[in-house]
Amino acid sequence: MGRLSFREQVLRVREDAIVHSVNRLLAEKGFDSMTVDEVAADVGIAKASLYKHFASKEALAAAAMVRVLQLALATIEAQAANSEASALQRLQAVTRWALEVQMAGEMPSLPSQNSTLRAALIAHKPYLDLVMQVSEPLGAWIVQAQADKSLNAALPAEVILYTLFARACDPVLGILKASGQYSPQQIIDWVMACCFDGLAARV
Amino acid sequence: MGRLSFREQVLRVREDAIVHSVNRLLAEKGFDSMTVDEVAADVGIAKASLYKHFASKEALAAAAMVRVLQLALATIEAQAANSEASALQRLQAVTRWALEVQMAGEMPSLPSQNSTLRAALIAHKPYLDLVMQVSEPLGAWIVQAQADKSLNAALPAEVILYTLFARACDPVLGILKASGQYSPQQIIDWVMACCFDGLAARV
DNA sequence: GTCTATAGCCAGATAGAC
DNA sequence: GTCTATCTGGCTATAGAC
């Protein structure tokens, strides 16, 4: 990609700041409770200026999702480059990364039930492309881990993939974090254990 | 409890119809996307009449939660009466019941992030009491199952309890159901396996 | 208690000057 | 592109007749 002009760099930095605020507010309050006024106040610009950068509240949410998916993709690529790790270890590393992001209050949570938001997301090509790019290597590792008998082969790969996505937003983390009794690391270890080892005892 | 007058019975039936509609709409659209107009239309009465029965939208949601918690309590009591079952089997039976309710589109899902709703719920004594009444026997069974080594004893009972509550609203069910590829029974079996056996293969 | 009609408010989006 | 000020629609909640 070519060099950006000064004006374009300024634009880029401002939009990054906006997306970062949206990300945090989505993680904290959720899409429905987050207001565009709050986003503007958090960034420190006028609401009308926000709308010069993003066409709608849904577009803001989509940008936040794109950002976190890009980070996920980077994590996945780092795991792919680690030739030491098994498929299961790679899946666990990516899952742990997602839990750490959520624990840090930076995992945007979108209501799967809001239909206008869903429509906006599936119409947003960068988002869809990234979902594909993320799902592909994860799906391959799942199949591989089932083949080497480290993942439950009785489950369709699809079910495992969806479960991993769902655990990235697992509300249990927020509840345990809010209780204030345990360290973030401890909480993540327990949620990882619930996910991969299950609640039932292992013999 | 004494007999109800005819008027009181009519009132009761109408309120049951309201709560049932709220329950379904909460499961389908979530609290924020559900409107009081929709509830009124679904019940077939005027919105103003709704407000004669329930003081606010939050009160409607609380009533729906109370209803589902009462059903959960009945399921728990049925399991407690079943002297054949082990603690783990009882927990699994209750979890399966919750998944079946969700699969039937009747598990109300409330956003944990909406603060006004949270405030209304914790101020609603019948709701809080039922949460306690449900948590108590479940907690006891968890401790018992950890003692007899059928549940993972390395996890705090609290973590397991919260995880079971979270799985009752697991979005994975909705995604798999929406794909239309699998039978409800099949989906529930898979989600149960993910929850209790974990994603990793058992040796 | 039920209805119709409406108040009141809030949040998403825009107009138009600079 | 940024701002202030405003529009607009939708939603919760209520007034008031019957």
Side-chain angles (χ1 to χ4, degrees):
Chain A
M1 57 175 81
R3 285 181 54 191
L4 298 174
S5 74
F6 178 70
R7 289 191 91 89
E8 281 166 335
Q9 287 187 42
V10 170
L11 194 95
R12 183 75 169 265
V13 167
R14 179 135 305 173
E15 295 196 345
D16 279 353
I18 294 172
V19 173
H20 200 269
S21 281
V22 171
N23 207 33
R24 211 175 42 75
L25 286 168
L26 279 182
E28 179 188 333
K29 324 186 60 171
F31 181 78
D32 291 304
S33 296
M34 178 187 84
T35 70
V36 178
D37 288 84
E38 280 172 329
V39 176
D42 194 67
V43 179
I45 62 177
K47 180 163 58 167
S49 303
L50 256 188
Y51 279 96
K52 296 286 181 182
H53 292 278
F54 297 93
S56 66
K57 185 184 179 183
E58 283 76 20
L60 284 172
M65 290 306 295
V66 164
R67 176 179 176 273
V68 74
L69 284 171
Q70 282 171 339
L71 294 177
L73 196 57
T75 303
I76 289 170
E77 282 165 358
Q79 283 302 315
N82 174 6
S83 56
E84 308 272 314
S86 71
L88 175 61
Q89 287 170 330
R90 286 170 176 168
L91 289 169
Q92 288 175 325
V94 175
T95 303
R96 181 176 290 272
W97 167 83
L99 296 183
E100 284 165 354
V101 171
Q102 204 206 332
M103 207 62 195
E106 294 193 341
M107 181 63 78
S109 76
L110 302 185
S112 52
Q113 296 151 325
N114 186 320
S115 56
T116 52
L117 178 59
R118 274 198 77 82
L121 281 179
I122 65 177
H124 192 70
K125 192 154 184 309
Y127 169 78
L128 274 193
D129 285 348
L130 274 165
V131 170
M132 297 291 190
Q133 284 182 60
V134 164
S135 299
E136 228 166 77
L138 293 181
W141 290 338
I142 289 169
V143 171
Q144 195 179 332
Q146 288 181 314
D148 70 26
K149 303 204 189 312
S150 57
L151 267 192
N152 185 349
L155 297 168
E158 192 186 8
V159 170
I160 296 180
L161 181 64
Y162 294 156
T163 298
L164 291 180
F165 274 114
R167 289 312 154 261
C169 316
D170 198 326
V172 170
L173 271 110
I175 297 171
L176 291 173
K177 184 181 172 190
S179 84
Q181 300 182 64
Y182 313 109
S183 75
Q185 198 56 52
Q186 180 68 83
I187 294 173
I188 290 174
D189 285 342
W190 285 332
V191 173
M192 286 287 293
C194 288
C195 180
F196 284 94
D197 297 334
L199 300 180
R202 299 239 162 191
V203 286
Chain B
M1 59 178 78
R3 285 182 54 192
L4 298 173
S5 74
F6 178 70
R7 288 191 91 88
E8 282 166 334
Q9 285 187 43
V10 169
L11 193 94
R12 182 75 170 263
V13 166
R14 178 135 308 173
E15 295 196 346
D16 279 354
I18 294 171
V19 173
H20 200 268
S21 281
V22 171
N23 207 32
R24 211 175 43 73
L25 286 168
L26 279 181
E28 179 189 333
K29 325 187 59 170
F31 181 78
D32 292 304
S33 296
M34 178 187 83
T35 70
V36 178
D37 289 83
E38 281 172 330
V39 176
D42 194 67
V43 178
I45 62 177
K47 180 164 56 168
S49 304
L50 256 188
Y51 278 96
K52 296 284 181 184
H53 293 278
F54 297 93
S56 66
K57 185 183 177 182
E58 284 76 20
L60 284 172
M65 289 307 295
V66 164
R67 176 179 176 273
V68 74
L69 284 171
Q70 282 170 339
L71 295 176
L73 196 56
T75 304
I76 288 170
E77 282 166 358
Q79 282 302 315
N82 175 6
S83 56
E84 308 272 314
S86 69
L88 175 62
Q89 286 170 331
R90 286 171 176 166
L91 289 168
Q92 287 176 325
V94 175
T95 303
R96 182 176 289 275
W97 167 83
L99 296 182
E100 283 164 355
V101 171
Q102 204 206 333
M103 206 63 195
E106 295 193 340
M107 181 63 78
S109 75
L110 302 185
S112 52
Q113 297 150 326
N114 186 321
S115 55
T116 53
L117 178 58
R118 275 197 76 83
L121 282 180
I122 65 176
H124 191 71
K125 191 152 185 311
Y127 168 78
L128 274 193
D129 286 347
L130 275 165
V131 170
M132 297 292 191
Q133 283 183 61
V134 164
S135 299
E136 229 166 78
L138 292 181
W141 290 339
I142 289 169
V143 171
Q144 194 178 332
Q146 288 181 313
D148 70 26
K149 303 203 188 313
S150 57
L151 267 192
N152 185 348
L155 296 168
E158 190 185 11
V159 170
I160 295 180
L161 180 64
Y162 294 156
T163 298
L164 291 179
F165 274 114
R167 289 312 153 262
C169 315
D170 199 328
V172 170
L173 271 114
I175 297 172
L176 290 173
K177 183 181 174 191
S179 84
Q181 300 182 63
Y182 313 108
S183 75
Q185 198 56 53
Q186 180 68 84
I187 293 173
I188 290 174
D189 285 343
W190 284 331
V191 172
M192 285 287 292
C194 288
C195 179
F196 284 94
D197 297 334
L199 300 179
R202 297 238 164 194
V203 286

